Amino acid sequence: DIQMTQSPSSLSASVGDRVTITCRASQSISRYLNWYQQKPGKAPKLLIYAASSLQSGVPSRFSGSRSGTDFTLTISSLQPEDFATYYCQQSYSTPPYTFGQGTKLEIK
Amino acid sequence: EVQLVESGGGLVQPGGSLRLSCAASGFTFSSYWMSWVRQAPGEGLEWVANIKQDGSEKYYVDSVKGRFTISRDNAKNSLYLQMNSLRVEDTAVYYCARNDYDSSGYYDYLNYWGQGTLVTVSS
């Protein structure tokens, strides 16, 4: 199975900061990488699919990129509503479609 | 409006069984792959299983193979997860989700999620 290693596991930042979260796949997964945001007690919400495509309705301050087996979620200017936990997920080839361990983004 | 509503969660003893349901509305259920994802208390997300539109293909995470069965009834717009031989480590909120594809048809993602149903396995 493909393993997804997400870092950091937690992050403290301030409103207006630029934040980067990384996810590394254990093998090549092309662009089969999605990013989700989850707030406490809520279901996850899709932010980015196919590594860099912004889901409709998601603010443009969110962006995704890929370099080989390394994937990055960037929030260009943190807003108060962005404090949440973020997960990457691979959807390459045959399931299981594993998630990363998550990154909890907290207010500094 | 797309809606996914899970039900069937509850408290069950180790070794017991439970059947989760997910009622879908607001879209043509029979046209989509569907998935189950779970989240143990205070932990991250774990992909559990998915099923093709006509039920002809099913996939599972190793930890539930042979114990859980995903199924669907397209006439009833419903997705199911039969869970047998439950273990304490199966305790989690279980979400059903719809698989969507990008315009190329290659890249899939979980675009719509239910609110989740809590399964607690404890003696």
Side-chain angles (χ1 to χ4, degrees):
Chain A
D1 296 350
I2 298 171
Q3 308 304 315
M4 304 302 299
T5 303
Q6 194 172 333
S7 61
S9 57
S10 63
L11 177 59
S12 294
S14 302
V15 173
D17 284 354
R18 179 183 181 90
V19 165
T20 296
I21 298 169
T22 298
C23 200
R24 174 170 290 174
S26 60
Q27 66 180 72
S28 175
I29 59 170
S30 184
R31 291 168 46 210
Y32 291 85
L33 192 284
N34 308 315
W35 289 98
Y36 302 87
Q37 176 195 67
Q38 187 181 34
K39 296 183 178 179
K42 300 294 187 182
K45 172 188 173 183
L46 176 71
L47 299 175
I48 302 282
Y49 62 91
S52 59
S53 295
L54 190 67
Q55 171 63 359
S56 175
V58 174
S60 59
R61 62 181 180 273
F62 291 92
S63 64
S65 63
R66 171 203 174 200
S67 177
T69 58
D70 290 341
F71 298 84
T72 300
L73 173 68
T74 299
I75 309 172
S76 60
S77 178
L78 271 174
Q79 298 302 301
E81 60 267 30
D82 299 338
F83 292 95
T85 301
Y86 293 84
Y87 296 92
C88 62
Q89 181 213 18
Q90 63 84 15
S91 59
Y92 179 75
S93 188
T94 304
Y97 291 157
T98 42
F99 287 89
Q101 305 95 312
T103 296
K104 187 174 183 179
L105 180 52
E106 299 174 305
I107 301 173
K108 184 184 286 185
Chain B
E1 178 193 7
V2 172
Q3 283 200 316
L4 298 169
V5 179
E6 302 94 337
S7 60
L11 175 63
V12 61
Q13 291 187 337
S17 297
L18 213 53
R19 188 197 197 204
L20 305 184
S21 299
C22 173
S25 61
F27 65 101
T28 304
F29 180 72
S30 58
S31 296
Y32 292 86
W33 281 78
M34 296 294 296
S35 299
W36 287 100
V37 174
R38 67 183 179 183
Q39 186 168 36
E43 301 295 324
L45 300 171
E46 181 180 35
W47 184 92
V48 174
N50 70 357
I51 184 169
K52 194 176 179 179
Q53 290 92 329
D54 61 359
S56 61
E57 291 183 40
K58 305 175 185 181
Y59 299 93
Y60 301 90
V61 68
D62 283 350
S63 59
V64 309
K65 281 180 184 175
R67 301 188 299 122
F68 289 12
T69 302
I70 188 172
S71 63
R72 64 192 297 161
D73 185 335
N74 289 338
K76 294 183 177 179
N77 293 333
S78 292
L79 176 71
Y80 305 103
L81 188 67
Q82 177 66 44
M83 304 185 296
N84 298 331
S85 302
L86 281 160
R87 305 169 180 168
V88 171
E89 55 266 34
D90 295 319
T91 295
V93 173
Y94 285 74
Y95 295 99
C96 72
R98 190 182 92 175
N99 289 69
D100 281 9
Y101 283 80
D102 78 325
S103 55
S104 75
Y106 288 111
Y107 299 98
D108 78 293
Y109 43 87
L110 301 174
N111 197 15
Y112 292 95
W113 298 65
Q115 84 289 349
T117 187
L118 176 63
V119 172
T120 303
V121 184
S122 174
S123 54

